[in-house]
């Protein structure tokens, strides 16, 4: 009986720590054709990866452009609440000298981007043979009504490198148990 009580408490503790992810298809498990469902795809060259993956069956690979950047973001934009602290996090694999990555949230309103915010990376990713975790938290700018969490891929040395993404989250920190 004591063992079942202990297991019940452990299960309750794990459940209480669950966050409500505001991004659908955050693990890139569903695809239509060559694009992950629920993610912006215009002009993006995706790789539906089965290796490497962080978890699940698939990860999304994004090929770097020859100049500028390519940003993928969940669609539609995420409705937000003023005064709430949001967390933007996920996993990426940058194991190529031809691409680099930054997470890049925009708090927006009907007029567009409302300015810089703490959910934007200060520096580029660094090449690594293993998956890396990113996380940032902050509150919306005063006039923001939605969030547009983005994953930006840039060329580094040449172009054509692929950065992989998996298990991307955007959530209200208060949903953390």
């Amino acid at each position: 009986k004591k063992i079942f009580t202990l297991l019940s408490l452990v299960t309750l503790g794990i459940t209480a720590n669950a966050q409500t992810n505001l991004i659908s298809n955050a693990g890139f498990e569903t695809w239509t054709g060559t694009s992950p469902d629920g993610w912006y795809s215009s002009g993006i060259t995706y790789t539906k990866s089965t290796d490497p993956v962080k978890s699940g069956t698939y990860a999304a690979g994004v090929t770097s452009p020859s100049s500028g950047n390519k940003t993928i973001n969940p669609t539609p934009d995420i409705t937000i609440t003023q005064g709430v602290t949001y967390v933007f996090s996920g996993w990426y694999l940058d194991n190529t000298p031809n691409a680099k990555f930054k997470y890049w949230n925009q708090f927006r309103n009907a007029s567009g981007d409302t300015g810089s915010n703490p959910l934007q990376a200060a520096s580029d990713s660094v090449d690594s043979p293993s998956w890396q975790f990113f996380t940032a938290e902050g509150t919306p700018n005063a006039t923001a009504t939605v969030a547009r969490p983005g994953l930006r891929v840039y060329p580094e040395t040449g172009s054509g490198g692929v950065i992989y993404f998996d298990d991307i989250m955007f959530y209200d920190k208060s949903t953390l148990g």
Side-chain angles (χ1 to χ4, degrees), residues 5 12 21 27 51 84 90 97 143:
T5 302
L12 179 62
N21 194 355
D51 184 29
V84 169
T143 61

Side-chain angles (χ1 to χ4, degrees), residues 40-53:
Y40 176 76
S41 60
S42 181
I44 306 290
T45 302
Y46 281 107
T47 299
K48 181 179 179 181
S49 177
T50 57
D51 184 29
V53 296

